[in-house]
Amino acid sequence: MPDIERLVNDFVAKLSKRKVEGSQATSRLTAELLRSVVSLQRLPPTNSAAVLIEAVRGVGVKLVAANPVELAVGNIVRRVLHIIREEDLSLLTSKTSDLDLSAASDDEGTIDQDFDPTQSAAAAAAAAKSFLQPPSLHALLENMLDKAIPSNNYTSSSGGDSEEKSKADKLARTRKLKHDVIEAINILIEDIDTCHELIAEQAVEHIHQNEVILTLGSSRTAFEFLCAAKEKKRSFRVVVAEGSPRYQGHALAKELVSRGLQTIVVTDSAVFAMISRVNMVIVGVHAVMANGGVIAPVGMNMVALAAQKHAVPFVVVAGIHKLCPSYPHNPEVCLNDMRSPSELLEFGRFSNCKEFGMDSGAPLQVVNPGFDYVAPELVSLLITDIGGHNPSYMYRLISDYYSADDFDLQGRIHK
């Protein structure tokens, strides 16, 4: 439909132009877009779940291709696909149970009608045995022939009524499926909005009196986590690494001071010198991989190695929407984002260096990666909005929130 195409193209343009950045913002907007896709998608009376899955998957492939760095977009697409499968299975299970109950009630009526209290125990046992035995092949064939031959007792009008009723039931089931999927997506959006608060509620269990906490970069999840411990009358100090070259730690330090936390700003290169005085490292990340490793702001692996060297717990706080069912070695996973060299070197100041390099055959090159990969063995604890988990437990969460058929969105489309 043109309405769906317009909505998708608008969001694809925002993603490709980096007008929308950050895991929470992209997750929420992706969920809202997919909710609109489900709402506007026309579904046939039969096989409606498969049609809906293909429509959502097709939109998801476009969104992921627009900005592969934002892994949260693919996570939400897979979550919605899992929701569709779960709701369709729930409706099918409910219908099957209703049929089983009606069949059981019919069988009970038949047994009651055939029961004669005057018959002997041997006759009753024989009747029960014949009832419990499976039907023979001859009886099954006769039953199939009886069903195939139209009965004279049924008129054409009754057959038409039955067909109309069946069609009405299928339409009602399709409407119910779409309604249930939309309601589940609304719950998903609410979970994304409240993930910071749910994670922050666990802060008092991990941060204790007079401790020294180290963090790197600027993460709203980590900020809310630290502020929640402060609100619980915990007195502690926070060491903030500045996060060169974007210096996001400076903004985080100002926000922490405005909330009354004792804050110390250090350079990234001073982390190893400070880590021996630190009780715990608490950081936010960009994504959590299937093996328990994390993709985090650049410089985080250095912090994790320093923490391991001095036996300091390395704690990651992240919403469950950041959990990615892919492994870091998968080719479709974009582990890094090469940012502009201007964050490191100003073009005007080094223009003569560039000209000199071209003449000498050795031009100046500037590499500015945005992320680091931290291996799971360096992570002590992952705190999500559903509780704290060991990195080795990620496989269980993935099985709860994703379907294996949806791990590879691109592969399913090209088949």
Side-chain angles (χ1 to χ4, degrees):
M1 293 177 64
D3 291 338
I4 296 178
E5 292 180 2
R6 179 178 56 82
L7 292 173
V8 172
N9 291 334
D10 290 345
F11 190 52
V12 165
K14 291 180 180 179
L15 286 174
S16 59
K17 296 177 182 179
R18 304 295 178 93
K19 292 184 177 180
V20 180
E21 287 187 307
S23 298
Q24 187 183 28
T26 53
S27 296
R28 195 184 199 287
L29 292 175
T30 302
E32 291 177 348
L33 175 64
L34 295 180
R35 181 179 59 186
S36 300
V37 170
V38 172
S39 178
L40 297 174
Q41 182 68 37
R42 292 183 178 178
L43 301 178
T46 59
N47 208 22
S48 54
V51 173
L52 196 57
I53 286 173
E54 289 303 318
V56 171
R57 182 184 286 121
V59 173
V61 169
K62 295 180 181 179
L63 299 182
V64 172
N67 190 356
V69 176
E70 291 293 349
L71 297 178
V73 173
N75 298 342
I76 297 302
V77 173
R78 296 180 181 93
R79 286 283 299 273
V80 172
L81 291 173
H82 180 69
I83 286 172
I84 297 172
R85 298 179 189 277
E86 289 293 311
E87 296 299 335
D88 181 57
L89 180 61
S90 177
L91 290 176
L92 183 61
T93 304
S94 176
K95 182 178 179 181
T96 305
S97 62
D98 292 341
L99 291 175
D100 291 342
L101 289 175
S102 61
S105 62
D106 293 342
D107 292 341
E108 290 176 0
T110 303
I111 294 174
D112 292 340
Q113 291 175 3
D114 295 339
F115 178 73
D116 184 5
T118 59
Q119 66 181 352
S120 64
K129 182 178 180 181
S130 63
F131 177 77
L132 293 174
Q133 284 180 347
S136 63
L137 179 60
H138 179 71
L140 288 174
L141 291 174
E142 285 185 346
N143 190 22
M144 292 175 62
L145 290 174
D146 291 340
K147 290 182 179 180
I149 300 175
S151 175
N152 296 329
N153 296 332
Y154 293 98
T155 62
S156 59
S157 61
S158 63
D161 294 341
S162 176
E163 184 177 352
E164 291 178 0
K165 183 179 179 182
S166 175
K167 185 176 181 180
D169 291 342
K170 292 178 180 178
L171 290 174
R173 184 179 181 275
T174 300
R175 288 194 295 268
K176 182 82 165 62
L177 173 65
K178 181 179 287 190
H179 175 270
D180 292 346
V181 170
I182 292 174
E183 287 297 321
I185 295 177
N186 289 334
I187 296 174
L188 173 61
I189 294 174
E190 184 179 353
D191 292 341
I192 295 172
D193 291 337
T194 59
C195 69
H196 297 306
E197 290 77 8
L198 294 175
I199 294 173
E201 290 176 357
Q202 308 170 55
V204 70
E205 302 175 6
H206 301 278
I207 299 178
H208 304 94
Q209 192 73 9
N210 298 325
E211 285 190 336
V212 179
I213 309 298
L214 186 142
T215 188
L216 171 68
S218 179
S219 167
R220 184 188 167 190
T221 310
F223 172 74
E224 296 291 345
F225 193 83
L226 296 171
C227 291
K230 171 65 176 178
E231 293 173 357
K232 296 295 183 180
K233 308 302 180 182
R234 294 290 167 85
S235 177
F236 58 95
R237 287 182 294 172
V238 182
V239 178
V240 180
E242 61 182 358
S244 174
R246 305 180 72 184
Y247 301 106
Q248 294 178 334
H250 295 176
L252 176 61
K254 292 179 180 178
E255 293 178 351
L256 292 173
V257 170
S258 66
R259 298 289 287 268
L261 279 81
Q262 304 176 49
T263 307
I264 303 171
V265 178
V266 299
T267 62
D268 297 341
S269 56
V271 167
F272 198 88
M274 294 289 297
I275 198 70
S276 60
R277 309 177 188 179
V278 171
N279 299 105
M280 183 184 301
V281 177
I282 299 177
V283 295
V285 297
H286 178 69
V288 180
M289 307 308 293
N291 63 342
V294 297
I295 299 176
V298 65
M300 195 67 75
N301 191 56
M302 173 190 66
V303 176
L305 290 171
Q308 184 190 49
K309 181 69 174 180
H310 290 269
V312 176
F314 186 88
V315 178
V316 172
V317 288
I320 203 67
H321 60 273
K322 294 185 179 183
L323 177 61
C324 181
S326 301
Y327 289 87
H329 59 266
N330 289 2
E332 69 273 8
V333 176
C334 185
L335 284 178
N336 223 322
D337 182 24
M338 294 301 170
R339 300 186 182 273
S340 172
S342 62
E343 295 180 351
L344 293 176
L345 302 176
E346 296 180 7
F347 292 119
R349 293 177 56 189
F350 288 86
S351 58
N352 58 347
C353 181
K354 179 180 178 182
E355 295 174 359
F356 175 78
M358 294 297 291
D359 296 337
S360 64
L364 175 66
Q365 295 183 351
V366 178
V367 179
N368 184 19
F371 299 110
D372 256 349
Y373 172 69
V374 181
E377 54 266 20
L378 300 178
V379 179
S380 305
L381 182 67
L382 284 162
I383 301 178
T384 69
D385 40 337
I386 58 173
H389 306 283
N390 192 279
S392 60
Y393 191 74
M394 292 302 103
Y395 80 95
R396 185 67 179 87
L397 295 180
I398 288 174
S399 65
D400 289 341
Y401 288 97
Y402 302 104
S403 297
D405 294 335
D406 305 321
F407 287 175
D408 185 8
L409 296 175
Q410 296 281 354
R412 296 285 295 181
I413 283 291
H414 294 317
K415 283 182 181 179

